[in-house]
Structures are given as structure tokens and as C-alpha cells.
Amino acid sequence: MKLLFRILIICLFLFLSRRVSFTEEDRSKNIFEKNSFSEESIYNLDQIWTDQDGDQVLFSTIPGKVKVLTMFFSSCQYACPLLVQDLKNIENQLDPKYKNQIQFILVSFDWKRDKPKVLKKFKKNRNLDHHWTLLTGNDESVRELAAVLGVKYKVYPDGNFSHSNLITVLNEQGEIIHQQTGLKQDPIETIKSVHHYFQLEGA
Amino acid sequence: MFKVISFSFALILIHAIAFSNPKPPLGMVYIPKGEFIPLFQEEESNPILIHSFYLDIYPVTNQDFLVFVKQNPKWRKSNIKKIFAEHGYLKDWPTDLSYPEGSANRPVTYVSWFAAKAYAKFVGKRLPTRDEWEFVSMASSNQPNGMDDPIFRNKVLEWYARPDDSHLPEVGMNQANFYGVHDMFGVVWEWTQDFNAMLVTGESRGDSDLERNLFCGSGALGATDVKNYAAFMRQAFWSSLQGKYIIGHLGFRCAKDIK
């Protein structure tokens, strides 16, 4: 019994000393990881999100040459249904040949209540197909994303939100190439910017 | 048996005393929980509850920030990405790793919200919320709520109405407030965790939900109506900001949750 105990102590000691030397090595190398994202890319945020299927994703790993995104919350009664409709209008008016290269992304403000199951139900109820991804995060990731996009929002003690309404178009590098402000907007400029991008890219 | 009981009791008593008055981390003070009506809201509004927390005694200084960038190269002047800070980040610093001579104890400015947040995380803290910040800022030197003191109240409103980025003083030059916190006024405006919770009063096309209670219904804004003007300045300032902006009279300090 005593021998076993001694062996366990030695193993623990070895394990801990390995961890210590790892961090010292780190410090001596002064590792400065410069990722390959461009200066203006929102992929620099490197926050981990969870989608409606419960899978963890990074913005940069979501497929789609162009991403059209907005922030919402599922229990929003007034603005958000209109915002989703605005996105659908964009989807319907885009040239079909680009359809499979575009992903529509809805990011929830309400990470506390909009769990993956809730998002999945929302997606189903509004007939959003595989071109749509719904994401939930945490307080920090939501606040940071909003800051980068220029979305303003306020959390109330009762769990509700007031927020600005903004649709953002990202290019393949995750850079903002266009934004559409407000609700029930004519998407013509947004459509133009997406088409223009694909034409330049020679897609 | 008696010894065991009395010893246990003593132990419990000591713990009870220790935890009833939490010892703040170095450089911070304990802010006890409270309620307040924000300065720029209607009197009839419900008071806002603030849970107890720790707050930095002083704004973060150039010296503090240097420690951070030394250990975090990606936040240095020459490395920082445009998405995190616009051109002019740390513009008064001559190099990546030096601040202007004599400014060690001046608040660091020309830093973006992203940089402030990263600093806070690095030192194991966070940015205060707007409510937390304003709650503490309402304290005069001898009252948790100095707003009933007309002299203090006017001092606060004057500061909002006239932010000033000419030659920054060192931190701690003025008297501490009731909580032992320095420089909530008279030095720099400060980033908060939820700076983008300020909503713009939108146009009729509904680009945002309105902070309707912001602009008091009463008359025209005039030089004599300091409160309205200060409210306007505060709203205009915060709602115009983006997280990557850098401004000469905008710095920050950190807060920390109580475990």
C-alpha cells in the first residue's frame, strides 16, 4: 500500500514538473503568434461560438465565400422578425449562381436563453435551410462582435434587449464590405455589393 | 471535547469576520452594493441595483500599460491590427515600448476599447460596466451619493459638458471620493465594458430602439441648463464611439468581481 502511494506521488511530481517546464519554454521563446488574418478581418476575434446543432465553430471556419450576418434574439417580437425577413429578401434577390457560396448568419444577443435547441427550433420555424447558421456565444463574444460590427445593444434586467439593426456583408477574408442599416430596407445596395464582389473575384 | 468546540467556534468566527469585509486586491477598493438613480435618467425611473465589486483606485497609467505591451506583443503600436485600434493608437508613445518622459503616472490614453479590455483580462480583471462606473462617480468626498450637494453636482455636470484633453495631470492629484477612488472626474473619460449600450436616438425608419428617457422633455438646451447639456454631451460622446477608436482624453480603469 505504501509503495503504491509512493509511486503515485512520484507520478504526480513528474506530471507537474512537465507542465512547469512547458510554460518556461514558452516564455523563453516569447512566442508571438501572428495569425494570417488581414488587418480588418473580424476573424481576428477568434471567439468560439456554438451553432444550432450544438457544434463549436469559429467565424473563419463557417463555410461560405461571402457571409451575410446580423445580430438578433429569438424572443424579440418586433425588430428581429423584420430583420430576418430583410435577410430573406436579400437571399431571394441574389443571383442564384452565387447561392451556394453565401452563408447567412444570425448571432444571438441572448446567449443565456438562446441555447442551441432554441436556435434549432427558430431555424425550423422560419424555414431557414442549410445556407443559414445560427450562433450563440457568451457575454464577451457577443459584446466584442457587436463592437466590431458597430451594433449597439443594451441588456435589461428582465433579460430583454434593445439593439440597433444592422446587416453586415463579409468577404472571404472576413472583412466588412457592406452594411445595411435599419429595418424593412431596400436591399438593392447590398445585392449590388455582393454581386460586385463575386464579379471581381471571378466566381 | 470542549477544546475542539471552542477552537471550531473561534475558527468560524475568524472566517466570518474575514469574509464580511473582503480585502481588495492591491490598488483596488471594495465598493459595497447599492442602488442609484443614474444622473441622466428621469427621477421616476426605477433605481439600478449595483452588486458589490472591486474598482481600481486610479485610472490605468502609462507605466501600467507598458508592462502589458511588453508581455503582449500583439498589442504594441507597430503590431496592432486596424480592427482593434485605429491609426493613432498610443500616438503619444515615441516607441512600442516607451511612453513620453515624465508621464509614467499619467493615465494611458489613445487606447481603444479592445486594448483596454485586453489589458483588463491580462491583469485578471475586467472593465467596469457603465452603471458601476456612474454609481461610483456619483460619490463626493464624504458621501456615497454626492448628488444632493449642489456644488458637487455642478462640478460633475461641468466635467461632462466640457471634457478636456489638454495636458493630462498625473493620477491621484485630487482628493479621493467616499469610496477611496481617485479621478472619476477631472482627468479622463473612461471606457466601460458596455460602452456600446448607448443607443442613438434613431430616425423614424426604426434603425434602433430609442433611449426615450434620455432627453428630458423640458425646453431648449441652453448654457444655463447644465444637466441637459451634460446629458447631451455624454450621449453624443458614447454613442459616436466605436471599439477601435482612440481619443486623447479617453482612458480606462479596471474592475473585478468578488469571488
Side-chain angles (χ1 to χ4, degrees), chain A residues 156-179:
Chain A
Y156 291 95
D158 64 357
N160 271 316
F161 298 81
S162 60
H163 58 92
S164 58
N165 300 302
L166 195 62
I167 292 173
T168 304
V169 182
L170 302 177
N171 65 14
E172 196 171 12
Q173 286 72 41
E175 298 160 340
I176 297 174
I177 58 172
H178 183 80
Q179 291 190 300

Side-chain angles (χ1 to χ4, degrees), chain A residues 35 37 39 44 143 152, chain B residues 81-83 196 198 239:
Chain A
N35 61 38
F37 301 131
E39 289 277 331
N44 284 306
R143 190 58 74 179
K152 299 184 205 295
Chain B
K81 291 195 176 180
K82 288 206 181 65
I83 195 144
N196 60 350
M198 291 282 159
S239 61

Side-chain angles (χ1 to χ4, degrees), chain B residues 81-95:
Chain B
K81 291 195 176 180
K82 288 206 181 65
I83 195 144
F84 292 131
E86 59 176 354
H87 178 71
Y89 173 68
L90 292 175
K91 101 172 159 189
D92 56 339
W93 283 33
T95 69

Side-chain angles (χ1 to χ4, degrees), chain B residues 160-235:
Chain B
Y160 271 118
R162 208 178 17 93
D164 173 20
D165 68 351
S166 59
H167 200 72
L168 290 175
E170 290 199 341
V171 301
M173 302 295 283
N174 299 312
Q175 197 180 16
N177 74 8
F178 175 80
Y179 296 109
V181 176
H182 284 265
D183 305 322
M184 295 302 275
F185 292 105
V187 184
V188 289
W189 284 50
E190 297 179 5
W191 283 114
T192 56
Q193 199 177 67
D194 52 348
F195 81 95
N196 60 350
M198 291 282 159
L199 292 167
V200 187
T201 50
E203 304 108 80
S204 56
R205 64 189 174 148
D207 63 329
S208 64
D209 286 330
L210 310 181
E211 269 217 16
R212 293 180 192 281
N213 58 6
L214 211 303
F215 292 97
C216 316
S218 60
L221 294 180
T224 52
D225 202 351
V226 189
K227 182 180 176 185
N228 281 342
Y229 188 64
F232 171 76
M233 284 298 292
R234 170 184 166 276
Q235 174 65 0

Side-chain angles (χ1 to χ4, degrees), chain B residues 68-155:
Chain B
F68 166 65
V69 296
K70 269 187 177 160
Q71 297 189 48
N72 295 275
K74 93 175 212 194
W75 293 100
R76 293 179 195 172
K77 230 170 113 131
S78 57
N79 292 331
I80 195 148
K81 291 195 176 180
K82 288 206 181 65
I83 195 144
F84 292 131
E86 59 176 354
H87 178 71
Y89 173 68
L90 292 175
K91 101 172 159 189
D92 56 339
W93 283 33
T95 69
D96 272 3
L97 298 176
S98 65
Y99 42 78
E101 207 172 298
S103 67
N105 284 323
R106 296 206 185 109
V108 66
T109 58
Y110 299 110
V111 285
S112 65
W113 176 77
F114 291 105
K117 233 164 59 73
Y119 173 93
K121 195 167 185 177
F122 173 71
V123 297
K125 300 179 186 177
R126 58 169 174 84
L127 294 177
T129 63
R130 174 118 310 271
D131 286 341
E132 284 173 338
W133 197 95
E134 294 197 347
F135 174 66
V136 176
S137 76
M138 282 169 66
S140 63
S141 58
N142 55 8
Q143 295 287 340
N145 184 352
M147 290 300 140
D148 293 330
D149 172 354
I151 296 170
F152 179 75
R153 186 189 170 96
N154 274 332
K155 207 164 92 174

